[in-house]
Amino acid sequence: VMPSPEQTLGRLHKFLGKFEGSSVGEQAKVEVQGLSKRFGFNPFDPQGWRKAGFDPARGLAVTLESVKKDGKDVDAALFIIGVGDAGAFDKTVKRLAREQERAELYRDQSYKQGKITTILRQGPSGEKPVFVFALYEGYGIFSDPINGPDAIRKLVDRRLANGLDQSPAYARLRAKVRSDADLHLF
């Protein structure tokens, strides 16, 4: 869990600034320009994140969610990021899918009070799912197209049932980690 990507990226940007004028600094500048071109916004600029629909102050997490497939437990990776403007977020995700993955099709599936969107690429042998995403309680959730929909449903169901993140034990565990740390592992 990264509680505040905005704060972490700000620290990283400040750190890289110490190398300005050196070969390391110039290489870092080239890398940031490449990322900015790829994403369509500077990842070190909180305003760029906001224009793209994200909320860089809300948090970012990566987790594994276990789901049943053919009677076996399979782990699906979930990437979760704060969203500030749902409409801009949706446009950004679909733009990046089109530009980076050549995926121009999408299919929505309703679930509870939200929807799960599958991004697809049209190929010679038909449609190929590339990834899935959902918007839930101000967070964008991304996963693979095979196990992702089930993992997202499971995450939403647990959240609706006041799951782990609502338990006092989880809060005490978080309190034991330095509160201003950039990254929390559980």
Side-chain angles (χ1 to χ4, degrees):
V1 175
M2 186 184 298
S4 175
E6 178 175 49
Q7 185 179 24
T8 302
L9 291 171
R11 287 179 182 165
L12 183 57
H13 184 64
K14 190 175 180 180
F15 174 74
L16 291 175
K18 293 180 187 251
F19 297 99
E20 194 169 317
S22 71
S23 61
V24 171
E26 292 306 308
Q27 183 59 39
K29 196 180 291 183
V30 168
E31 293 299 324
V32 169
Q33 288 171 343
L35 286 172
S36 298
K37 184 176 179 184
R38 183 172 183 185
F39 292 142
F41 62 92
N42 181 340
F44 291 105
D45 177 14
Q47 291 308 319
W49 284 81
R50 287 184 182 90
K51 286 178 186 173
F54 298 98
D55 184 346
R58 286 198 73 176
L60 177 143
V62 177
T63 186
L64 292 176
E65 188 69 59
S66 183
V67 296
K68 291 276 188 204
K69 287 288 181 180
D70 301 323
K72 298 178 185 174
D73 286 335
V74 178
D75 286 333
L78 295 176
F79 177 80
I80 305 164
I81 188 165
V83 173
D85 179 337
F89 166 78
D90 191 65
K91 287 178 186 174
T92 297
V93 171
K94 289 175 181 172
R95 177 185 56 80
L96 288 171
R98 186 175 56 254
E99 292 172 359
Q100 303 300 318
E101 298 291 334
R102 298 179 332 275
E104 298 199 20
L105 305 172
Y106 60 92
R107 191 172 297 132
D108 292 331
Q109 177 183 15
S110 295
Y111 188 70
K112 308 266 170 143
Q113 56 269 58
K115 69 179 177 180
I116 299 172
T117 301
T118 302
I119 299 290
L120 306 124
R121 178 184 311 127
Q122 182 67 47
S125 59
E127 297 173 348
K128 178 185 178 214
V130 180
F131 67 92
V132 296
F133 75 97
L135 184 64
Y136 183 71
E137 289 189 350
Y139 287 90
I141 307 167
F142 296 87
S143 192
D144 72 272
I146 307 303
N147 302 314
D150 291 337
I152 291 170
R153 285 186 203 96
K154 189 173 177 184
L155 179 78
V156 168
D157 289 345
R158 186 175 55 248
R159 179 76 175 127
L160 289 173
N162 293 324
L164 174 66
D165 61 334
Q166 298 296 310
S167 77
Y170 178 80
R172 284 193 299 273
L173 177 64
R174 282 191 57 202
K176 289 180 182 178
V177 178
R178 198 177 94 221
S179 62
D180 64 338
D182 290 331
L183 207 55
H184 300 277
L185 302 174
F186 302 98

